[in-house]
Amino acid sequence: MNPSTMSGNRLAGIIGTGPWPSPAYDSLHAAISRVIADGRLPVGTRLPSERELATAIGLSRTTTTRTYGLLREQGFLLTRRGSGSIVRLPNVPGGRIDHLLTPAGADESEIDLTCTAQVASPWLLGAYDRALSQLPAYLPGTGYYPSGLPVLREAIAERFTRRGAPTDPDQILITSGAFGAVAIAVRALLQGSRAHPPDRSSSRRILIESPTYPNAIATLEGAGASLVSYPLEIGEDGHYWDLAAMEQALHRSRIRATYLIPDFHNPTGALLPESARGELAELLQRHSVTPIIDESIVELGLEDAPTPTPLAKFAPNSITAGSTSKIFWGGLRVGWMRLPRHLIDSMAATRLSLDLGAPVLEQLVAAELMRDHDAILPDYLDKLRTGRDILVAQVRTHLPSWDLSVPAGGMALWVRLPEERSGALAIAAREQGLALVAGPNFAPSGGLDGWIRLPYTAAHEQLSQLGPRLAAAWEDALSMEGRIPAGRARIVA
């Protein structure tokens, strides 16, 4: 794939236009390398010419030439005749970061912050009891329900309708978790089914936010997608979607689909404003892009506000993935897709090439939990809200140099470190009885070693102990010069 070229004005919008403390080439180098490490300047991007950048930021061409030379020396740029200057990351021992999160084998003394997940809802056993009483009615059949049990599809469709996106049960396809839904969607869009093969000229490029959920990166790449990063912008109130920048990315690359988490985004916690949802839908429709929307944590708003309106209300061609994992229990492994009618047949056919349906008992359990949804959720949200506030206080008290925005929902803090040592921090944390996931795991195109995700789903007693342990780990990470190269994390499994 040919790299996309960033204009001088766009790069100036990301790094600013000064003033540039003397020596200016050093200040400019620091600004560019920082946004590469942050993931806001994706790996593989072709930078503007030295002359174009000089004009955009008000410096001399001599300064930009010297800056590009320094970036090349440090491994941030690769320049070849006829190809321009392409963004890359310095080589690091240990190779490429593994984006797939794996379960931690933590002992009782270790605090596991590798995953945003809750223990089973207290309502779960009662739901299993009621589901078991219904199971005999299904035993005379084959047990295969590739589209899902009607009772569960009806419950999910009714919730979409109540939230503002009228939905019929036949638009719902039950899957094995939310990422089962994403895998089906991507495979159907990129590879097609025997009944509906893709157009030979169709693109395999999928636009994906940076940062994003690590398993999304693994799922999309595993389906053969070519990922195009769209870096979320950073403002005073945290991360946000710059739709003008997204349109530029869509102009530069022929995008087939986009994977987005607009509701309490994982890992940043950002929420796409209601006022921007119609604008986003119109933008994607104008570029003939199919949105794949991950609503796994849409229910986890921690402020007094209604559940966000489904993007499906504004984008009729969108595919929405959801799951019971974040609101009830991950062990159920029940997810769903809400589909536009013209995609139902192709998605169902693709689903049959992967598996024959989710387990009947777990679907019955999920239907029972959905029936009690409004009674179950408030207690869990109270627990999350308290956990968030405990964790915020711990970080601000013990690590005041760390920069965080308090999210309005979701399950984790996305914290900016004063130095790019997320990988070193994850390694040092083990000695303090902490299991962390370094920032580069959330980067589709590299970078983000200056960030760390801290879930607040752990027990409140554990969260109350985090501050001193994190502070000690950070002190050790700062002393790792020479063992962990600056600017890129190294993960040791």
CSV table of all heavy atoms in Angstrom, one decimal, residues 92-95 97 422-424 426-427 430 438 440 449 483-485 488-492:
chain,number,residue,atom,x,y,z
A,92,VAL,N,13.6,-1.8,18.2
A,92,VAL,CA,13.8,-2.1,19.6
A,92,VAL,C,14.0,-3.6,19.8
A,92,VAL,O,13.3,-4.4,19.1
A,92,VAL,CB,12.5,-1.7,20.4
A,92,VAL,CG1,12.6,-2.1,21.8
A,92,VAL,CG2,12.3,-0.2,20.3
A,93,PRO,N,14.9,-4.0,20.6
A,93,PRO,CA,15.0,-5.5,20.9
A,93,PRO,C,13.7,-6.0,21.4
A,93,PRO,O,13.0,-5.4,22.2
A,93,PRO,CB,16.1,-5.5,22.0
A,93,PRO,CG,16.9,-4.2,21.8
A,93,PRO,CD,15.9,-3.2,21.4
A,94,GLY,N,13.4,-7.2,20.9
A,94,GLY,CA,12.1,-7.8,21.3
A,94,GLY,C,11.1,-7.8,20.2
A,94,GLY,O,10.0,-8.4,20.3
A,95,GLY,N,11.3,-7.0,19.2
A,95,GLY,CA,10.4,-7.0,18.1
A,95,GLY,C,9.1,-6.3,18.3
A,95,GLY,O,8.9,-5.4,19.2
A,97,ILE,N,5.3,-5.2,19.2
A,97,ILE,CA,4.4,-5.4,20.3
A,97,ILE,C,3.3,-6.4,19.9
A,97,ILE,O,2.7,-6.3,18.8
A,97,ILE,CB,3.8,-4.1,20.7
A,97,ILE,CG1,4.9,-3.1,21.2
A,97,ILE,CG2,2.8,-4.3,21.9
A,97,ILE,CD1,5.7,-3.6,22.4
A,422,SER,N,6.2,3.8,29.2
A,422,SER,CA,5.1,2.9,29.5
A,422,SER,C,5.6,1.5,29.6
A,422,SER,O,5.2,0.7,30.5
A,422,SER,CB,4.0,3.1,28.5
A,422,SER,OG,2.9,2.2,28.8
A,423,GLY,N,6.4,1.1,28.6
A,423,GLY,CA,6.9,-0.3,28.6
A,423,GLY,C,7.7,-0.6,29.8
A,423,GLY,O,7.6,-1.6,30.4
A,424,ALA,N,8.6,0.4,30.1
A,424,ALA,CA,9.4,0.2,31.3
A,424,ALA,C,8.6,0.1,32.6
A,424,ALA,O,8.9,-0.7,33.5
A,424,ALA,CB,10.4,1.4,31.4
A,426,ALA,N,5.5,-1.0,32.8
A,426,ALA,CA,4.8,-2.3,32.9
A,426,ALA,C,5.8,-3.4,33.5
A,426,ALA,O,5.4,-4.2,34.2
A,426,ALA,CB,4.3,-2.7,31.5
A,427,ILE,N,7.1,-3.3,33.1
A,427,ILE,CA,8.0,-4.3,33.6
A,427,ILE,C,8.3,-4.0,35.1
A,427,ILE,O,8.3,-4.9,35.9
A,427,ILE,CB,9.3,-4.2,32.7
A,427,ILE,CG1,9.0,-4.7,31.3
A,427,ILE,CG2,10.4,-5.0,33.4
A,427,ILE,CD1,10.1,-4.5,30.3
A,430,ARG,N,5.8,-5.2,37.9
A,430,ARG,CA,5.8,-6.6,38.4
A,430,ARG,C,6.4,-6.7,39.8
A,430,ARG,O,6.0,-7.5,40.6
A,430,ARG,CB,6.5,-7.5,37.4
A,430,ARG,CG,5.8,-7.6,36.1
A,430,ARG,CD,6.3,-8.8,35.3
A,430,ARG,NE,6.2,-8.5,33.9
A,430,ARG,CZ,7.2,-8.6,33.0
A,430,ARG,NH1,8.4,-9.0,33.4
A,430,ARG,NH2,6.9,-8.4,31.7
A,438,ALA,N,1.1,-2.0,28.7
A,438,ALA,CA,1.8,-0.7,28.2
A,438,ALA,C,1.0,-0.1,27.1
A,438,ALA,O,0.3,-0.8,26.3
A,438,ALA,CB,3.2,-1.1,27.8
A,440,PRO,N,1.8,1.0,24.0
A,440,PRO,CA,1.9,0.6,22.6
A,440,PRO,C,0.9,-0.5,22.2
A,440,PRO,O,0.7,-0.7,21.1
A,440,PRO,CB,3.3,0.2,22.5
A,440,PRO,CG,4.1,1.0,23.5
A,440,PRO,CD,3.1,1.1,24.7
A,449,ASP,N,4.0,5.1,23.8
A,449,ASP,CA,4.8,4.7,25.0
A,449,ASP,C,4.7,5.7,26.1
A,449,ASP,O,5.2,5.5,27.2
A,449,ASP,CB,6.2,4.4,24.6
A,449,ASP,CG,7.0,3.6,25.6
A,449,ASP,OD1,6.3,2.8,26.3
A,449,ASP,OD2,8.2,3.8,25.8
A,483,ARG,N,18.3,0.0,29.5
A,483,ARG,CA,17.6,-1.3,29.4
A,483,ARG,C,16.4,-1.3,28.6
A,483,ARG,O,16.1,-2.2,27.9
A,483,ARG,CB,17.3,-1.8,30.8
A,483,ARG,CG,18.6,-2.3,31.6
A,483,ARG,CD,18.1,-3.1,32.8
A,483,ARG,NE,17.7,-2.2,33.9
A,483,ARG,CZ,16.8,-2.6,34.8
A,483,ARG,NH1,16.4,-3.8,34.9
A,483,ARG,NH2,16.5,-1.7,35.8
A,484,ILE,N,15.6,-0.2,28.7
A,484,ILE,CA,14.4,0.0,27.9
A,484,ILE,C,14.6,1.2,27.1
A,484,ILE,O,14.6,2.3,27.6
A,484,ILE,CB,13.1,0.1,28.8
A,484,ILE,CG1,13.0,-1.1,29.7
A,484,ILE,CG2,11.9,0.3,27.9
A,484,ILE,CD1,12.8,-2.4,29.0
A,485,PRO,N,14.8,1.1,25.8
A,485,PRO,CA,15.0,2.3,24.9
A,485,PRO,C,13.9,3.3,25.0
A,485,PRO,O,12.7,2.9,25.1
A,485,PRO,CB,15.1,1.6,23.5
A,485,PRO,CG,15.4,0.2,23.7
A,485,PRO,CD,14.7,-0.2,25.0
A,488,ARG,N,9.9,3.7,22.9
A,488,ARG,CA,9.2,2.5,22.4
A,488,ARG,C,9.1,1.4,23.6
A,488,ARG,O,10.2,1.2,24.2
A,488,ARG,CB,9.9,1.8,21.2
A,488,ARG,CG,9.1,0.6,20.6
A,488,ARG,CD,7.9,1.1,19.8
A,488,ARG,NE,7.1,0.1,19.4
A,488,ARG,CZ,7.2,-0.6,18.2
A,488,ARG,NH1,8.2,-0.4,17.5
A,488,ARG,NH2,6.4,-1.6,17.9
A,489,ALA,N,8.0,0.9,23.8
A,489,ALA,CA,7.9,0.0,24.9
A,489,ALA,C,8.3,-1.4,24.5
A,489,ALA,O,8.3,-1.8,23.3
A,489,ALA,CB,6.4,-0.1,25.4
A,490,ARG,N,8.7,-2.2,25.5
A,490,ARG,CA,9.0,-3.6,25.2
A,490,ARG,C,8.2,-4.4,26.2
A,490,ARG,O,8.2,-4.2,27.4
A,490,ARG,CB,10.5,-3.9,25.4
A,490,ARG,CG,10.8,-5.4,25.2
A,490,ARG,CD,12.3,-5.7,25.3
A,490,ARG,NE,12.8,-5.5,26.6
A,490,ARG,CZ,14.0,-5.7,27.0
A,490,ARG,NH1,14.9,-6.1,26.1
A,490,ARG,NH2,14.4,-5.5,28.2
A,491,ILE,N,7.4,-5.4,25.7
A,491,ILE,CA,6.5,-6.2,26.5
A,491,ILE,C,7.2,-7.5,26.7
A,491,ILE,O,7.6,-8.2,25.7
A,491,ILE,CB,5.2,-6.3,25.9
A,491,ILE,CG1,4.5,-5.0,25.7
A,491,ILE,CG2,4.3,-7.2,26.7
A,491,ILE,CD1,4.2,-4.2,26.9
A,492,VAL,N,7.2,-8.0,27.9
A,492,VAL,CA,7.7,-9.3,28.2
A,492,VAL,C,6.5,-10.2,28.7
A,492,VAL,O,5.9,-9.8,29.7
A,492,VAL,CB,8.8,-9.3,29.2
A,492,VAL,CG1,9.3,-10.7,29.5
A,492,VAL,CG2,10.0,-8.5,28.7
